[in-house]
């Protein structure tokens, strides 16, 4: 069954000098309005114990434009400024719902420079996009076509740290589910092998950051030697940002290709619920874990499975996938990270990663069958195995061996 979704299409564009100046002014005004509204809401809450709504912030924005100090806010399109207030309202909603931390101020150097235009603030005609306060359309590089007959409802313009300009067009798109299949796969994320599949296949980690580490180190050394606040330091910062952008682009491209392949070939995908934030506390592995981008990998799997009618199962983070024998269900007492192959008491010899992927798949199939999550349970004093592990053992026995 086809489904209609809101989908963003991101393109790079090259603004004229006038357009770049107008967008830069807009970015600065958006940041100022967001920070000033956040300051007012914080003062009202901690000083008077009252909340300021979006309507009140919008009215305050109108008054700010009438003052001599902030009259320049009226020179840019009002829509991105109103959208900034809506984003702040959403941030506070997430905070009060305990889904996020307290909203933070936007920094000129560290925050992403962006502005959001709704339908009333841009013109879409004959495949050309013209923003408010501009006389010419943006010079967009159409790397892929928009859905047939689709028109953007929202346009977000941004500039990254490397000085590249992007336009993200939100459109209505129709997603056709992928053909049904009976295949299922378990995925074990790692560092040496980015992912190991329950089929026995190991996909090597491209290590994008390591490949450009020498170039990145040189750019960062040059940046550290420049005087703060100088033009040369600004140029060196852009050079370092371009190296980071190159790494991020290649990593994202690789992950898109990998996740698309996994979703197309399998009806059921099973992964572990890894706590990447805690794993990054390991100083020796933090750099390699960040380069592997496990969180981005999971995010892509989640929305692609939802789009194409696949089932994504996430098993509990405490499930002993590496130490659990896929043949008999026995859990090894200790299995250090440097042990890549181990022998169970039953005589089965396991590759650590392949065994983990197979036990993850077995646990996922058991979860799918019983409709419950895999949670750590107290082991039985008689058998030394939990009920979940026994159920996983039965499911593992049904997986064909390679």
């Amino acid at each position: 069954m086809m489904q209609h979704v809101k989908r963003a299409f991101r393109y790079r564009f090259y603004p004229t000098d006038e357009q770049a100046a107008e967008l830069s002014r807009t970015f600065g005004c958006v940041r100022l309005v967001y920070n000033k509204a956040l300051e007012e809401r914080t003062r009202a809450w901690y000083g008077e114990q009252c909340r300021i709504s979006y309507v009140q912030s919008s009215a305050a924005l109108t008054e700010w434009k009438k003052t001599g100090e902030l009259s320049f806010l009226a020179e840019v399109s009002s829509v991105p400024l109103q959208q900034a207030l809506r984003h702040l309202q959403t941030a506070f909603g997430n905070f009060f719902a305990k889904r996020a931390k307290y909203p933070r101020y936007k920094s000129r150097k560290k925050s992403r420079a962006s502005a959001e235009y709704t339908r009333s603030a841009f013109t879409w005609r004959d495949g050309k996009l013209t923003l408010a306060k501009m006389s010419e359309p943006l010079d967009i590089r159409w790397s892929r076509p928009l859905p047939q007959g689709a028109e953007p409802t929202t346009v977000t313009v941004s500039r990254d740290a490397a000085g590249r300009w992007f336009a993200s067009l939100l459109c209505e798109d129709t997603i056709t589910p992928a053909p049904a299949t009976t295949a299922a796969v378990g995925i074990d994320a790692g560092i040496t092998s980015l992912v190991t599949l329950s089929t026995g296949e190991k996909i090597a980690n491209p290590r994008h950051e390591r490949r450009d580490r020498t170039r990145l180190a040189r750019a960062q050394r040059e940046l550290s030697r420049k005087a703060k606040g100088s033009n040369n330091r600004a140029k060196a910062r852009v050079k370092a940002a371009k190296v980071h952008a190159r790494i991020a682009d290649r990593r994202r491209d690789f992950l898109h290709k990998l996740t698309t392949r996994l979703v197309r070939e399998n009806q059921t995908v099973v992964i572990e619920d890894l706590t990447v934030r805690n794993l990054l506390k390991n100083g020796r592995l933090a750099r390699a874990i960040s380069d592997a981008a496990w969180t981005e990998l999971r995010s892509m799997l989640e929305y692609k499975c939802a789009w194409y009618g696949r089932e994504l199962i996430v098993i509990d983070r405490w499930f002993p996938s590496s130490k659990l024998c896929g043949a008999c269900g026995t859990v090894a007492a200790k299995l250090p990270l440097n042990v890549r192959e181990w022998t169970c008491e039953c005589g089965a010899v396991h590759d650590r990663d392949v065994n983990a992927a197979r036990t993850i798949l077995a646990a996922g199939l058991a979860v799918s069958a019983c409709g419950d999550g895999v949670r750590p349970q107290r082991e039985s004093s008689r058998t030394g195995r939990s009920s979940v592990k026994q159920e996983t053992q039965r499911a593992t026995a049904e997986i064909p061996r390679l």
Side-chain angles (χ1 to χ4, degrees):
M1 181 179 178
M2 294 188 298
Q3 57 176 324
H4 300 280
V5 299
K6 288 285 188 179
R7 187 173 181 179
F9 293 82
R10 187 166 173 258
Y11 303 95
R12 189 171 179 180
F13 72 95
Y14 296 85
T16 63
D17 293 341
E18 292 79 10
Q19 290 173 340
E22 176 63 30
L23 289 173
S24 296
R25 284 195 299 269
T26 303
F27 294 159
C29 292
V30 166
R31 183 178 60 252
L32 185 148
V33 168
Y34 185 95
N35 288 343
K36 189 168 181 61
L38 175 57
E39 180 182 7
E40 291 295 324
R41 297 182 72 146
T42 302
R43 178 192 55 77
W45 175 252
Y46 288 102
E48 306 170 10
Q49 291 297 306
C50 65
R51 295 185 182 182
I52 297 180
S53 65
Y54 162 75
V55 176
Q56 293 172 307
S57 296
S58 181
L61 174 60
T62 303
E63 296 301 321
W64 296 340
K65 292 180 180 180
K66 297 177 181 179
T67 63
E69 182 183 0
L70 299 177
S71 59
F72 61 87
L73 293 177
E75 299 176 2
V76 301
S77 173
S78 62
V79 172
L81 307 184
Q82 295 289 344
Q83 292 299 103
L85 297 180
R86 289 189 174 93
H87 294 164
L88 180 61
Q89 179 67 28
T90 301
F92 270 102
N94 292 333
F95 168 71
F96 288 122
K98 298 183 179 180
R99 291 190 298 265
K101 295 182 179 180
Y102 193 82
R104 295 182 296 179
Y105 292 98
K106 292 185 178 294
S107 168
R108 183 171 61 88
K109 294 182 179 180
K110 297 182 180 179
S111 298
R112 176 171 172 262
S114 65
E116 186 176 291
Y117 295 78
T118 57
R119 196 67 182 86
S120 61
F122 67 86
T123 302
W124 175 260
R125 186 176 300 151
D126 298 329
K128 295 183 179 181
L129 178 67
T130 306
L131 300 178
K133 302 291 184 177
M134 296 184 185
S135 57
E136 299 179 1
L138 298 180
D139 183 15
I140 298 177
R141 297 296 187 266
W142 300 102
S143 54
R144 56 174 174 169
L146 289 175
Q148 188 174 6
E151 292 191 5
T153 57
T154 303
V155 174
T156 302
V157 180
S158 61
R159 183 186 60 214
D160 65 7
R164 302 179 301 176
W165 297 83
F166 295 96
S168 181
L169 282 64
L170 187 65
C171 303
E172 186 83 20
D173 193 14
T174 302
I175 303 295
T176 303
T181 178
T182 58
V185 67
I187 301 175
D188 177 62
I191 295 177
T192 304
S193 298
L194 180 63
V195 294
T196 301
L197 308 182
S198 55
T199 58
E201 179 184 359
K202 292 186 177 182
I203 299 175
N205 187 353
R207 298 181 183 269
H208 299 290
E209 186 271 340
R210 175 178 288 186
R211 292 169 62 183
D212 281 344
R213 186 170 294 178
T214 302
R215 182 182 301 179
L216 179 60
R218 185 184 302 114
Q220 290 175 331
R221 281 197 302 270
E222 292 178 359
L223 174 62
S224 66
R225 293 168 182 162
K226 308 301 181 184
K228 292 185 177 180
S230 66
N231 290 334
N232 285 336
R233 184 175 179 85
K235 295 176 183 177
R237 183 184 296 111
V238 172
K239 288 183 179 180
K242 287 182 177 179
V243 181
H244 280 293
R246 170 186 168 89
I247 295 171
D249 289 346
R250 292 163 62 186
R251 181 189 297 124
R252 189 182 306 110
D253 178 70
F254 179 83
L255 292 178
H256 269 300
K257 292 175 180 177
L258 172 60
T259 52
T260 298
R261 175 203 153 187
L262 293 174
V263 171
R264 283 179 177 173
E265 294 178 353
N266 300 278
Q267 186 68 34
T268 303
V269 180
V270 188
I271 59 176
E272 275 186 303
D273 182 20
L274 296 175
T275 52
V276 178
R277 182 178 299 178
N278 291 338
L279 294 174
L280 289 176
K281 295 178 182 179
N282 185 329
R284 298 180 61 184
L285 298 177
R287 194 169 192 172
I289 292 173
S290 298
D291 191 25
W294 294 335
T295 302
E296 190 172 4
L297 173 70
R298 172 174 172 175
S299 176
M300 291 182 181
L301 286 173
E302 286 177 345
Y303 79 78
K304 289 181 182 181
C305 284
W307 278 2
Y308 298 108
R310 302 313 197 195
E311 182 182 15
L312 179 67
I313 301 176
V314 182
I315 68 170
D316 193 274
R317 67 188 62 173
W318 302 110
F319 181 73
S321 58
S322 298
K323 298 191 293 182
L324 179 64
C325 175
C328 67
T330 302
V331 180
K334 185 179 296 185
L335 194 64
L337 283 176
N338 62 334
V339 177
R340 309 315 301 174
E341 187 175 286
W342 60 284
T343 304
C344 180
E345 298 174 354
C346 66
V349 180
H350 298 295
D351 179 286
R352 180 193 184 103
D353 298 331
V354 174
N355 177 71
R358 287 175 173 166
T359 54
I360 287 172
L361 173 60
L365 296 178
V367 169
S368 181
C370 66
D372 194 7
V374 178
R375 298 293 177 187
Q377 299 184 12
R378 188 181 301 276
E379 296 184 351
S380 169
S381 58
R382 292 182 299 171
T383 63
R385 305 175 194 165
S386 69
S387 60
V388 169
K389 293 170 186 172
Q390 293 175 357
E391 185 175 16
T392 304
Q393 176 187 350
R394 292 194 298 270
T396 307
E398 300 176 0
I399 302 176
R401 300 298 176 191
L402 297 179

